Amino acid sequence: MQLGVARKLLEMTVDYAKDRKQFGKPVGSFQAVKHKLARVHTAIEDARPAAWYAAYAFARDLPDAARAASVAKGAASRAEALANTEALQCHGGIGFTWEHDLHIWLKRGLALQPAFGTPDEHRAMLAKIVLVTAAAGAGIGLATAKRCIEEGATVVISDKHERRLEETASELGVLGIPADVTQETDVQRLFDAAIAEYGRIDVAVNNAGLGGTANIIDMTDVQWNIVLDVTLNGTFRCTRAALRHMVPRGSGVIVNISSVLGWRAQAGQAHYAAAKAGVMALTRAAAMEAAPANVRVNAVAPSLAMHPFLEKVMDPGELEHLVTLEAFGRSAETWEVANVIVFLASDYSSYMTGEIVSVSSQHP
């Protein structure tokens, strides 16, 4: 049974890796994915002889039949567990598996324990109220909302785009509150509404940001100002609103979204890099101010986290170049960034504040 589940997971993941494309290439052509699939295949093949011998030993009533069965079960369990893990990673996390019926097999293999039965005491975000901005797209915000739900949190999402927000909130089964982070009245209304609904906010994930490409010599004041207003000023407004709620309570966590561009130079990204560097500085200063009240403030700095919208708005050649800068030779999946956000938002990081965590090999 376990080897059958592992084999089915491998087959479905191989098919998925052939069909899904990044930068015009099948996901299965990337070395990291090849390695994952090869590991699963090897684990299954290694477990087969043990299963065959156990069946033979029982059929012949050999004295070591019980031991052979134990060895076979252990090997099959390891193969199934590895297949579960690698299938989830190749598919981009739990949320994406529903589109391909993989969840049926993962559930049989208990790979979906975070969503279908992990003991409550093991859920990193159990009973926490989490607010995530810019969570109605296809990027890090949505992935973070999903991971927080899987870890037991009650989630509130926000976005400027009301129709998309309504659809996403309905899909996730959460409260959605429209807000434009460039408008102070919207930010206040967002936090007030979330607190009115649930009584508190334990975690604020300030994800809203805006990019663009323009060399400084050609950049207009409008281009500069809109990126700074959404990415830096918007993060400031949400951080301020969160602190005004959390500091009097004496608890809370803020996770801001920065970028490796806050550290390294990239032509055409002066406005975005300045904004993200500002988010880093804002995070450190806010952490020092909030620490006496037992409120933690950290940030993540992703590099290239791939999602469909990014593939539409960025030049394919530029994307391929950015991939060459990554240690793993591929872009991150949004759920991989969300996992780090969940860690920083949880009590597992209780002694961390003022930190900028790179979700990449690119850091100073």
Side-chain angles (χ1 to χ4, degrees):
M1 172 64 179
Q2 289 173 310
L3 280 181
V5 171
R7 170 58 67 181
K8 183 64 176 180
L9 286 170
L10 177 61
E11 291 173 355
M12 295 182 75
T13 305
V14 168
D15 290 342
Y16 176 79
K18 289 178 181 176
D19 293 339
R20 188 186 179 205
K21 291 183 170 58
Q22 278 191 4
F23 319 120
K25 301 176 183 177
V27 169
S29 67
F30 292 108
Q31 193 62 39
V33 175
K34 290 180 181 178
H35 179 64
K36 290 177 181 295
L37 297 177
R39 286 182 65 205
V40 176
H41 181 267
T42 299
I44 293 172
E45 292 305 310
D46 286 349
R48 284 185 187 280
W52 289 335
Y53 181 73
Y56 173 82
F58 269 99
R60 298 292 189 277
D61 198 23
L62 298 181
D64 64 343
R67 179 180 177 278
S70 178
V71 171
K73 184 177 180 180
S77 295
R78 288 190 293 275
E80 182 194 23
L82 182 62
N84 286 334
T85 300
E86 303 296 26
L88 271 176
Q89 291 193 4
C90 288
H91 278 73
I94 288 173
F96 293 93
T97 63
W98 298 87
E99 300 173 14
H100 306 280
D101 292 330
L102 187 74
H103 66 284
I104 297 171
W105 291 91
L106 288 169
K107 191 173 180 181
R108 290 183 188 181
L110 302 182
L112 288 190
Q113 283 188 341
F116 293 102
T118 294
D120 281 347
E121 62 268 23
H122 293 162
R123 293 194 185 190
M125 303 294 289
L126 184 66
K128 292 188 182 295
I129 310 299
V130 180
L131 171 62
V132 186
T133 64
I140 293 170
L142 176 61
T144 300
K146 288 181 175 179
R147 285 295 294 116
C148 287
I149 292 169
E150 292 162 4
E151 293 293 342
T154 296
V155 173
V156 178
I157 62 171
S158 178
D159 205 281
K160 178 180 178 180
H161 304 282
E162 295 192 25
R163 180 187 59 80
R164 197 165 66 195
L165 174 66
E166 183 178 349
E167 292 172 354
T168 305
S170 176
E171 174 193 343
L172 297 179
V174 301
L175 174 63
I177 303 171
D180 179 350
V181 297
T182 68
Q183 304 299 314
E184 174 61 16
T185 54
D186 276 22
V187 172
Q188 285 298 322
R189 182 170 48 81
L190 167 61
F191 278 78
D192 289 346
I195 294 166
E197 181 71 20
Y198 295 112
R200 69 183 193 280
I201 296 172
D202 297 307
V203 177
V205 180
N206 298 325
N207 175 63
L210 181 67
T213 301
N215 288 335
I216 295 171
I217 198 169
D218 301 316
M219 190 180 298
T220 66
D221 283 4
V222 171
Q223 287 175 301
W224 174 270
N225 288 336
I226 186 60
V227 170
L228 269 289
D229 199 18
V230 174
T231 308
L232 178 55
N233 297 345
T235 301
F236 160 71
R237 293 183 187 101
C238 292
T239 298
R240 180 175 60 187
L243 288 176
R244 285 174 174 172
H245 169 64
M246 294 173 179
V247 168
R249 290 183 60 233
S251 67
V253 179
I254 298 170
V255 182
N256 292 326
I257 312 302
S258 185
S259 166
V260 296
L261 285 183
W263 288 315
R264 68 170 173 80
Q266 183 173 319
Q269 295 294 315
H271 46 2
Y272 187 70
K276 290 301 190 181
V279 170
M280 292 180 179
L282 169 67
T283 297
R284 294 189 186 102
M288 294 302 99
E289 294 179 12
N294 195 38
V295 175
R296 298 188 297 109
V297 189
N298 292 292
V300 296
S303 52
L304 182 63
M306 186 51 59
H307 54 85
F309 178 73
L310 194 61
E311 289 184 290
K312 290 180 181 178
V313 300
M314 287 193 70
D315 176 70
E318 178 66 15
L319 286 174
E320 288 198 37
H321 168 68
L322 292 176
V323 167
T324 66
L325 303 177
E326 300 297 330
F328 291 118
R330 65 173 177 88
S331 63
E333 297 287 353
T334 54
W335 65 268
E336 292 175 303
V337 180
N339 282 344
V340 180
I341 294 171
V342 167
F343 167 70
L344 290 175
S346 76
D347 294 337
Y348 288 121
S349 59
S350 59
Y351 200 68
M352 291 179 67
T353 196
E355 296 295 332
I356 315 299
V357 181
S358 172
V359 192
S360 169
S361 59
Q362 302 180 49
H363 51 80

